[in-house]
Amino acid sequence: MTALTPALEDFLDAHVVGVVATAPQGARPRQSVVYYVREGDRLLISSVADRAKVRDVEASGWASLCVMAPVRPFPSATFSGRAEVLRQGIGPATAAVAQRVMQAAEPPEPQSDEALAAVGRVIIAITIERVSAVSHLEQ
């Protein structure tokens, strides 16, 4: 059973950026602003393979994403769960994230896994297991 309600799905789909948090072993959490797309109960984030957030996910298997609306009263929610780094079959997800970055009507043509690997691109996939810190948002 998913932790997402229709209202939370709509909220995620209506926004394009959030703050991803990862947990490096033996250190304080890291956060960074990222573009994302929702695929069912997963959040997909395109990243460069040598980034700290990628290493953290590979080591811990966990991440969270906090999304906040840009207008008062600033509705927000944090989505967390198991996370993994994907390197295969990531062309469509990478194109979907690129579409949001470029504010394009259609996604660009998906690239092959080989082409994405050549430029060091991966996808961080967070399976939403928990929704917390929901504020100013009807669930």
Side-chain angles (χ1 to χ4, degrees), residues 87-107:
R87 291 178 169 81
Q88 300 296 314
I90 64 170
T94 304
V97 173
Q99 176 184 7
R100 294 187 117 190
V101 170
M102 298 181 303
Q103 299 179 347
E106 297 292 325

Side-chain angles (χ1 to χ4, degrees), residues 13 43 61 72 81 85 139:
D13 294 345
L43 300 170
R72 291 186 187 278
V85 177
Q139 294 186 52

Side-chain angles (χ1 to χ4, degrees), residues 45-80:
I45 300 163
S46 179
S47 183
V48 176
D50 65 356
R51 295 279 167 90
K53 62 183 158 254
V54 173
R55 292 191 306 272
D56 293 348
V57 166
E58 287 176 324
S60 72
W62 176 91
S64 72
L65 184 75
C66 180
V67 177
M68 181 179 79
V71 295
R72 291 186 187 278
F74 304 109
S76 62
T78 299
F79 306 86
S80 59

